[in-house]
Amino acid sequence: MMPSDTHKIVIHADKTPAGEHVRRLNVPTIDEVAIVIVRDQFQPRDIVLHRRNDQLTTFAETHRCLQYPIIFWDGADGYHFNVKMIDPVSGKETNMKCSARNYYSYRLMIQENEDNHILKCRQLVHQYIVDMYAKIKKACLIFIRLNQTKLHSEEYVHLRDPVVNDANTTNIGRLTILPSSYTGSPRHMHECAQDAIAYVHHYGRPELFITVTCNPAWDDIQQLLLPGQSPVDRHDITARVFRQKQKSLMDFMVKHEVFGSVHCWMYSVEWQKRGLPHAHILIWLYNKITSNKIDNVICPEIPNADVDKDLHEVVMKNMIHVPCGTLNPNSPCMIDGKCSKRYPRALVSNTVTGNNGYPLYRRRSAEDGGKLATIQMRNGDIEVDNNQWVVTYSPLLSKTYRAHINVEYCNSIKSIKYICKYVNKGSDMAVFGVQPERSDRNAVIHIDEIAQYQAGRYISSNETVWPIL
């Protein structure tokens, strides 16, 4: 770009490509440091120095020096291919080479009796970790690209389909595959979705669909922050704490059987441009939850503060859908003048499970014993209209983990098929431009799954910490 040029990058969440899941293409809801991968990510990301004598000097991106001099002002070496692993017992170098992921994981660690200044750099360390994560994934994908013969890519039947349909075997180009062993790849997510369908075939429909979101106000996070820091400055802490909370939640449901004995379960962790990790969980139970027991497990009502003040506080803080519509037309959930989450919900005196989808949960009006509450908004306090704005939750889980934990009951094949695909939809993406393509029937066919996977990848600073650690 010329110095006089001005450009604006716009992420279009409403331009979903054919075959892509709409929930992979959200608009960012917060300001964050992120990388959007464009076109061929395998081009060199060299560092070019403009010397005072107007000469240019190029250094490879894996050079041990000249990266982030503000963070490493003392000239400390960065990662390079000859870094050796250290024996933790003797403290001496071994013959094993250190991988990029292990190196940057070490850099982000809280060292005992040492002050890790990198963790004090706020948004600069966000840029550092997304840049280094891109380097890590680039190395992994280059290895896969250079070892296609070991994957026997020519034997993948569906990759030969375009050639068969084209009926012109002289136009066979490269077949580059991204195997299912690569976590997060389309093949990997497709296998997970097939597993979910196999569970449905063998055990029937899952009973519960649970979404749990990291709560930055958790004491476990707040107590580890340095003076003057907020949770957004320490993605390493939020990732570690959420990981432990997620494991605890699964043990709570599976091992302690708070909802009954569990046949099987599966979950995936996502970010979706929200700045905090959240997990989607499917639970299959031995004893099915009958319609008359749903109200004992799932509740979409404001609890009585006089009976359970603690639960009332958690629900009002985490489980209220921010009023939208005429009350807040600029809410992120508003699409074409309507709430995409279907709020406010209808008031019903009893739970109804006969509809073809999610049940209509009991949301009692004030005449039936429903509660009123007040919510603080930027334009002033408003009174919540009974239970129409409450997100469905489990009183047991919400009170135990004090976070946004949405619980839904699955009661139809239609909802099950959608949920199995939704949980395994894949990594977040961004549509940031449109480029016309020419159709040439005589062109050579190149099927590059690695390039297709990387094109449009949206990688946030919060997401990068998870795989690095």
Side-chain angles (χ1 to χ4, degrees):
M1 294 186 296
M2 299 296 295
S4 59
D5 291 347
T6 57
H7 291 77
K8 184 178 181 180
I9 297 176
V10 180
I11 295 179
H12 298 280
D14 57 338
K15 300 183 182 297
T16 306
E20 292 291 348
H21 198 288
V22 65
R23 294 299 180 188
R24 299 181 64 190
L25 297 145
N26 304 279
V27 174
T29 57
I30 63 169
D31 292 332
E32 62 180 357
V33 179
I35 281 182
V36 178
I37 299 179
V38 185
R39 296 177 183 170
D40 190 358
Q41 77 284 4
F42 298 102
Q43 295 296 327
R45 300 165 61 246
D46 295 339
I47 301 169
V48 181
L49 296 186
H50 189 178
R51 295 182 176 274
R52 294 176 180 174
N53 59 4
D54 290 335
Q55 293 183 352
L56 300 180
T57 303
T58 302
F59 292 85
E61 63 173 337
T62 54
H63 195 281
R64 65 174 63 193
C65 303
L66 304 174
Q67 293 193 25
Y68 292 87
I70 296 179
I71 297 180
F72 306 107
W73 70 90
D74 57 351
D77 287 345
Y79 174 75
H80 55 93
F81 293 130
N82 293 323
V83 175
K84 300 292 186 180
M85 296 290 288
I86 302 297
D87 189 330
V89 178
S90 63
K92 298 180 180 180
E93 285 189 355
T94 66
N95 293 326
M96 295 179 59
K97 289 187 177 181
C98 178
S99 67
R101 192 193 68 83
N102 286 337
Y103 177 84
Y104 294 114
S105 175
Y106 172 81
R107 277 295 191 182
L108 294 178
M109 289 291 179
I110 301 174
Q111 308 295 336
E112 187 176 4
N113 300 324
E114 292 185 17
D115 189 14
N116 191 346
H117 66 275
I118 297 178
L119 301 178
K120 299 180 180 180
C121 295
R122 297 196 173 182
Q123 286 195 322
L124 183 57
V125 74
H126 295 180
Q127 179 180 340
Y128 174 72
I129 59 178
V130 296
D131 195 13
M132 298 306 104
Y133 176 76
K135 180 194 294 187
I136 294 170
K137 304 313 288 184
K138 173 183 175 181
C140 295
L141 294 173
I142 286 180
F143 177 84
I144 294 175
R145 182 180 290 276
L146 297 179
N147 287 271
Q148 289 291 303
T149 55
K150 297 179 180 179
L151 299 173
H152 303 286
S153 59
E154 70 280 356
E155 298 298 325
Y156 282 65
V157 176
H158 74 279
L159 290 178
R160 298 199 306 264
D161 290 343
V163 178
V164 175
N165 295 333
D166 189 75
N168 188 353
T169 57
T170 62
N171 292 344
I172 300 178
R174 296 186 303 272
L175 303 178
T176 305
I177 68 169
L178 185 59
S180 59
S181 57
Y182 186 87
T183 304
S185 67
R187 292 180 185 276
H188 174 256
M189 303 311 296
H190 179 71
E191 284 191 358
C192 292
Q194 293 295 318
D195 290 342
I197 297 299
Y199 295 162
V200 173
H201 178 74
H202 191 71
Y203 297 115
R205 58 177 172 81
E207 295 299 298
L208 300 174
F209 174 46
I210 303 172
T211 302
V212 53
T213 304
C214 178
N215 184 2
W218 276 330
D219 292 339
D220 306 80
I221 295 177
Q222 295 293 330
Q223 293 172 359
L224 294 175
L225 297 176
L226 298 175
Q229 287 185 336
S230 63
V232 73
D233 299 324
R234 296 294 302 276
H235 291 316
D236 60 315
I237 293 178
T238 57
R240 285 197 179 106
V241 171
F242 181 74
R243 171 63 174 162
Q244 296 300 320
K245 293 284 187 180
Q246 175 68 20
K247 292 169 64 177
S248 173
L249 175 63
M250 296 308 301
D251 289 342
F252 190 55
M253 294 187 293
V254 177
K255 295 182 179 180
H256 296 283
E257 302 179 350
V258 293
F259 298 125
S261 299
V262 177
H263 261 305
C264 57
W265 50 269
M266 73 182 308
Y267 72 86
S268 63
V269 179
E270 299 176 350
W271 286 263
Q272 292 184 345
K273 307 183 185 72
R274 300 177 186 176
L276 290 171
H278 64 277
H280 297 299
I281 309 170
L282 291 176
I283 300 291
W284 282 261
L285 300 176
Y286 276 97
N287 299 319
K288 303 298 182 181
I289 299 176
T290 57
S291 58
N292 60 339
K293 295 181 180 179
I294 294 178
D295 295 335
N296 298 332
V297 178
I298 302 174
C299 179
E301 296 183 322
I302 299 173
N304 191 333
D306 297 331
V307 177
D308 196 334
K309 183 179 179 180
D310 194 26
L311 179 60
H312 181 272
E313 179 185 348
V314 173
V315 171
M316 292 304 301
K317 188 174 182 179
N318 300 292
M319 302 309 300
I320 302 295
H321 179 81
V322 177
C324 51
T326 57
L327 298 175
N328 185 16
N330 296 324
S331 177
C333 64
M334 295 296 292
I335 299 178
D336 297 331
K338 297 181 180 179
C339 176
S340 59
K341 309 299 182 182
R342 297 180 289 116
Y343 285 93
R345 300 294 178 90
L347 295 172
V348 293
S349 57
N350 294 291
T351 300
V352 180
T353 60
N355 61 321
N356 187 23
Y358 295 115
L360 297 176
Y361 302 100
R362 182 182 66 185
R363 297 175 185 268
R364 291 172 290 188
S365 62
E367 293 76 12
D368 292 333
K371 302 296 180 181
L372 296 176
T374 302
I375 291 183
Q376 295 181 354
M377 297 185 63
R378 293 180 180 178
N379 56 356
D381 295 347
I382 64 170
E383 190 176 66
V384 178
D385 187 7
N386 298 318
N387 297 310
Q388 292 181 297
W389 302 97
V390 181
V391 179
T392 53
Y393 65 94
S394 167
L396 177 62
L397 298 183
S398 294
K399 190 174 180 179
T400 303
Y401 290 93
R402 307 185 69 84
H404 180 97
I405 304 180
N406 176 219
V407 182
E408 296 279 2
Y409 173 72
C410 305
N411 72 320
S412 73
I413 297 299
K414 179 181 178 181
S415 63
I416 292 169
K417 184 178 180 181
Y418 172 78
I419 287 173
C420 291
K421 291 182 178 180
Y422 181 82
V423 172
N424 301 287
K425 58 184 176 292
S427 305
D428 215 358
M429 299 180 65
V431 177
F432 53 88
V434 178
Q435 181 177 358
E437 297 181 358
R438 293 186 303 171
S439 178
D440 188 354
R441 189 169 181 79
N442 295 322
V444 177
I445 299 174
H446 297 294
I447 302 176
D448 193 336
E449 292 185 350
I450 297 178
Q452 293 172 1
Y453 166 74
Q454 285 290 84
R457 280 291 313 279
Y458 180 98
I459 306 174
S460 65
S461 50
N462 183 265
E463 179 182 355
T464 55
V465 174
W466 187 280
I468 288 178
L469 296 180

